[in-house]
Amino acid sequence: MKYDFTAIEKKWQTKWKDEKTFACQNGDTSKPKFYGLVEFPYPSGAGLHVGHPRPYTAMDVIARKKRMDGYNVLFPIGYDAFGLPTENFAIKNHIHPAVITKQNIENFTRQLHMLGYSFDWDRCVDTTDPSYYKWTQWIFLQLYKHGLAYKTTMPVNWCTSCKCVLANEEVVEGVCERCGAPVVRKEKSQWMLKITAYAQKLIDGLDTVDFIDRVKTQQRNWIGRSTGAEVTFKATTGDDIVVFTTRPDTLFGATYMVISPEHRFVKEWKDKLQNWDEVAAYVEEAGRKSDFERTELAADKEKTGVELKGVRAVNPVNGREIPIFISDYVLASYGTGAIMAVPAHDTRDWAFAKKFGCEIIEVVSGGEDVQKEAFTAKDDTGIMVNSDFLDGMTVKDAIPAITKWLEEKGIGHEQVNYKLRDWVFSRQRYWGEPIPMIWCDKCGWQPLGEDQLPLLLPEVASYEPTDNGESPIAKMTDWVNTTCPCCGGPAKRETDTMPQWAGSSWYFLRYMDPHNDKALASKKALDYWGQVDWYNGGMEHTTLHLLYSRFWNNFLHDIGVIPHAEPYAKRTSHGMILGKNPHYVGNVETEEEKQALIDKYGSQAMRPSVKMSKSLGNVVNPDDVIRDYGADTMRLYIMFIGDFEKTATWSDESVRGCKKFLDRVWNLNEKLKDGEGYSAGNESAIHKAIKKVSSDIEAMKFNTAIAALMALVNDFYTKGAAKGDYKALLLMLSPFAPHLCEELWEMNGFGGQVCLQPWPEYDESKTVAATARMAVQVGGKVKANIVVDAGASDEEVVAAALAEPKIAKLAEGMQLVKSIVVKGKLVSLIFKPQA
Ligand code: ANZ
Ligand code: ZN
């Protein structure tokens, strides 16, 4: 019989769907629970990308294995469907974004079904469904009521193309993460979420979870805790200038100060400044740049700045008067927006001092001449000098000593700062959750009553964002004008919507109880499922989604809504799938051809693989692969493609290789011998394979698990396989190639569905092959002994006997005429001289 994957896959997918094979029950205490999570997709118009199946198949393999291990498995899926691409498509084509979303979700659902994923489809969520975003809005109201949502006017990142405010996390190297257009600074009134109040909790929580190191490190760096001191300098105006420094030990080397161009003193000192015009011009110029342009991009560039002429500061440790500058390398948004500059020991200060002729005084010795470069070592290599009572101390000892001194004098104290900024939570766009707040001229901002939720998005005539930066909803006066929940007077609704990160910040909770209309999920469901046991997702979400959702979860825990502070017990991440680079120099033969590619494509020509893109024509569509080779081949290949956490390059040849392997598994079915248990020849190989495949799946080493199964199939072909051997193979292969295995399981009459069988167990003692010692007789006399696999076939035994050195010598010039094997005991050979 032919392996008709199309028919087989359709048959089993229909059965799983109709019978709800993978629907799980809340509160089943007869089994341990396992909650496996993948990042739900944004249903774009382009359909499933080949990047999706890698993490999805991986978690599907794990979920299927956990079910066979006897767990009650929650493995859900849904759609993160608010967002700009849909809105932009709506604007262009004049179709309601909800209509487009519905179509896209249907297409994604079809594709996900086609891959045979064991999702519990009854729990599917859609963030744009009012019964879902009701609870997103509810969480916002809780944040507001607990002082963690506030509206403020601030300079924000403004995408010139999306006409929309972006969070810091959405600005990548100065351009919009989504569309690549330049991002400029703009003053806007914005809703903010106080994630900074959770900075320390978000760091501490990392100690309680099993996240891969890369993720922990990136989160810690992003939150950016630094310990130092705040020190007060007196200005000659009488004002106190407070600075944040991580090196209070270098205070004696502070030879000037810098305040950020936005610092309030700049305006307050206007009348005292002799060079106001110059100062004002610099302030304006700096205001146009983003923090990224002012710091990272400018790191190697010449420092700029203006001295504030007419005002000076006094260094509190030695009473010396020092100049004050404004420079854009000092950010308004970090620390106190002011620094003491120590050019001898800070690289940026050193570069600035060289340009502006400021004094450089060494206070830590141990490096090169500080007039030639800054000495920045913070460890024990440096010894304090020119620093009065600190002289002779190491930096490590000097920091607490000076901090104590500052505290005693009342001019400073220890201070912890975080790089993390509050989360800009409003977008001036249509396709997002309305923010349930009302503005009353008398009462100020008022939260909408919880009984009024969901606050539905109004129908609008056009989704175009307005040039003045207001949401298209602002034009819907019927919707905007309302009454104040506090005084009943006329009031207006907030017209900004939430960012896309809102719906995904809590979706894993909704899966536990997706149809609940009384709460985001019942206490019973939340208690039963607890934490997500295993969450796999992209590294690109580490500082956005992963941090945001940990913040919301910690908050919901603090207000008693959910039982765990940390949402995810375990987080892993996969590498990207790349396409072959059509412009790679390795694709061509001659030097001229190679040079032509380099001339045209530059360094890009040197890369064998690149991100898939339409323009390069190297995009792989999962639909095509499934049509040509089947979903099982697609799944198997994507798990076999390489180390899961590393990037991998798509290869059609390897896809065909995987299909061949499944063909071999299929064809083996017709060669099976009878026999229920494992046959002697295969027993140890099967135990070994069970051990390896089990631990490899757990460690996400899918490629080596598959390699082990391939080796087992080879064994079965050489040694022959009994039904019992085949059964074990199907059990182990089923998480990877579920449709094929179900079909073969059924054909053999093994009973039930393979996905519902217990995972096979292995016996450690049987993973090492049993051996047998056998005598070798030649012409009736024992001439040698050999050791062979207990399960070795007669042919293998004879071959081993002939290879034995003594026997080989006897056999020289002879021809074997007869051999008799007495299993496990002896092999008898009869030779005659060669003709
Ligand atoms: C004096 C000093 C001496 C510093 C020295 C460093 C080395 P992190 O680790 O990032 O927290 N700083 C403080 N506020 C700043 C702002 N708003 N914009 C730009 N720079 C700012 O770095 C803290 C250090 O960065 C602080 O310590 C301060 O420079 C600078 F040998 O103070 B330091
Ligand atoms: Zn009012």
Side-chain angles (χ1 to χ4, degrees), residues 226 244-247 250 329-332 334-340 342 345-346 348-349 419:
S226 71
F244 172 67
T245 175
T246 46
R247 295 291 305 277
T250 62
Y329 81 90
V330 173
L331 303 176
Y334 186 64
T336 62
I339 66 155
M340 63 178 210
V342 185
H345 304 291
D346 180 273
R348 290 170 304 176
D349 296 346
K419 293 260 152 47

